[in-house]
Amino acid sequence: DAGITQSPRHKVTETGTPVTLRCHQTENHRYMYWYRQDPGHGLRLIHYSYGVKDTDKGEVSDGYSVSRSKTEDFLLTLESATSSQTSVYFCAISEPGNTIYFGEGSWLTVV
Amino acid sequence: GQQLNQSPQSMFIQEGEDVSMNCTSSSIFNTWLWYKQDPGEGPVLLIALYKAGELTSNGRLTAQFGITRKDSFLNISASIPSDVGIYFCAGLYAGNNRKLIWGLGTSLAVNP
């Protein structure tokens, strides 16, 4: 157990609605990440954070925003959900020099 | 985005057989990681490799960091049904804010 909690674990939402996924860690790790996982694409980095209020884009950041106001929480927001954002979303954490640990995932369906 | 070449894509084996899979890259990495993912769950770290030539074991699992730093191998000995899942490799460059480059996974099925 890497001390990572994702919420919600499952969500169905309508196209055009805003959605926020939350990642909470109890390890006080500096780095936090949001990935999405889709068949044929593997794990793709959406955004990551290297400290409170310090974030940067990953390879598939369009349509997503993030915020990190506290060390323990990293929020992923879909401002206006689209069907292409139906996916499984994983949060991950790490410290410099150490490996990356994943949460259990959040299944999002946009209808 | 960049991805690692992971092979084979899938394997179907008999219980008790040994398994080998590998990942290759055109770039040099400083860290290689191997993960296993079970259905409905997040990837779980199996083995981490930090030095070229390093050979590390975790129970029946053994992984090696290639000498060229462009490849890595994972072996599973005497497979059992609970080895079923998808195995991913990931590489990490030095100084890239810790963004992993991923393989697409090897799906392993074990026939009891």
Side-chain angles (χ1 to χ4, degrees), chain A residues 71-109:
Chain A
T71 299
E72 58 266 35
D73 289 325
F74 192 33
L75 304 180
L76 176 71
T77 297
L78 292 65
E79 300 292 346
S80 178
T82 66
S83 58
S84 65
Q85 293 176 311
T86 292
S87 187
V88 183
Y89 292 86
F90 288 102
C91 174
I93 63 174
S94 75
E95 273 292 337
N98 290 332
T99 52
I100 295 177
Y101 298 94
F102 286 83
E104 294 184 326
S106 293
W107 274 253
L108 177 66
T109 302

Side-chain angles (χ1 to χ4, degrees), chain B residues 25-104:
Chain B
S25 169
S26 57
S27 303
I28 292 174
F29 291 117
N30 286 343
T31 300
W32 282 96
L33 306 172
W34 285 93
Y35 290 82
K36 182 189 179 211
Q37 186 174 23
D38 293 326
E41 299 183 10
V44 175
L45 181 67
L46 298 174
I47 294 177
L49 303 161
Y50 300 107
K51 192 165 55 176
E54 180 181 354
L55 187 70
T56 297
S57 293
N58 178 5
R60 293 178 295 105
L61 277 62
T62 301
Q64 184 164 24
F65 193 140
I67 291 292
T68 65
R69 296 169 62 192
K70 293 183 178 182
D71 57 7
S72 180
F73 305 87
L74 176 69
N75 295 316
I76 305 173
S77 63
S79 60
I80 59 177
S82 62
D83 290 334
V84 167
I86 302 177
Y87 293 78
F88 291 96
C89 63
L92 188 64
Y93 301 111
N96 73 338
N97 282 326
R98 306 197 59 71
K99 290 187 286 185
L100 288 171
I101 310 299
W102 291 88
L104 291 182

Side-chain angles (χ1 to χ4, degrees), chain A residues 3 6 20 27 33 47 49 62 80 102 104:
Chain A
Q6 291 185 227
T20 295
E27 306 297 320
Y33 312 80
H47 283 279
S49 170
D62 288 347
S80 178
F102 286 83
E104 294 184 326

